[in-house]
Amino acid sequence: MDIISYNKLPEKARNFIETYFSDYYIFKVTFNASYSVVFKGGSSVNFTSRGEWTSIIGNGNEIPLNIVEKFAEDNIIEKEVLNTIKEKYESPNIYRIIKKKNKYEILINNNIIIIDIEGNILKIKSE
């Protein structure tokens, strides 16, 4: 794993960070087949080599709901996914979002939920 300059991130990844995490202090950027941007406090966002996000890891820190809502507004995450989260959880505390092929694995309120892009919960398990 190599520590690299922020400017070496693909433009798509830099735009993602600047749009959704501009208030976060970047601690380091690494590359090892994929990119990882680690913020002060330990949260991170991971990207493919083409700069497409694959996961947002709170690492014990909550991912603010307003960021997740902005993802839905901008079609980063399907609106149906956010709607299902809000219906199921009165005050969701989201700690991790992993994007898979046609679904997401989300750590929320100490449960891991697998939810498809249409907002259907496929599985819920306790962490």
Side-chain angles (χ1 to χ4, degrees):
M1 177 182 333
D2 295 326
I3 294 178
I4 62 167
S5 158
Y6 175 76
N7 294 330
K8 293 222 167 135
L9 275 176
E11 183 179 356
K12 192 172 188 175
R14 285 195 318 267
N15 289 341
F16 187 90
I17 295 297
E18 289 160 15
T19 300
Y20 302 104
F21 296 94
S22 61
D23 294 347
Y24 286 60
Y25 176 81
I26 296 171
F27 177 67
K28 69 180 174 182
V29 179
T30 61
F31 179 76
N32 182 18
S34 61
Y35 295 94
S36 183
V37 176
V38 181
F39 301 109
K40 185 177 180 183
S43 298
S44 64
V45 181
N46 300 300
F47 298 94
T48 66
S49 58
R50 293 192 312 270
E52 295 160 0
W53 78 278
T54 56
S55 62
I56 301 162
I57 311 293
N59 208 9
N61 301 307
E62 194 175 329
I63 300 164
L65 187 59
N66 66 327
I67 290 177
V68 180
E69 288 171 336
K70 186 144 177 49
F71 288 165
E73 279 174 35
D74 296 347
N75 294 315
I76 300 295
I77 290 178
E78 292 75 9
K79 289 175 182 61
E80 295 81 2
V81 172
L82 179 62
N83 291 341
T84 298
I85 289 170
K86 286 180 159 182
E87 286 169 18
K88 178 120 181 87
Y89 298 95
E90 191 174 310
S91 46
N93 298 315
I94 300 170
Y95 294 96
R96 180 176 66 222
I97 303 171
I98 300 172
K99 182 166 65 167
K100 306 224 175 190
K101 189 171 178 166
N102 287 314
K103 59 189 173 192
Y104 298 91
E105 179 182 298
I106 303 172
L107 174 56
I108 182 169
N109 295 14
N110 296 322
N111 291 308
I112 297 171
I113 65 168
I114 309 295
I115 187 168
D116 70 16
I117 58 174
E118 294 167 359
N120 300 307
I121 294 177
L122 307 175
K123 188 178 198 177
I124 298 178
K125 52 188 176 184
S126 294
E127 191 187 44

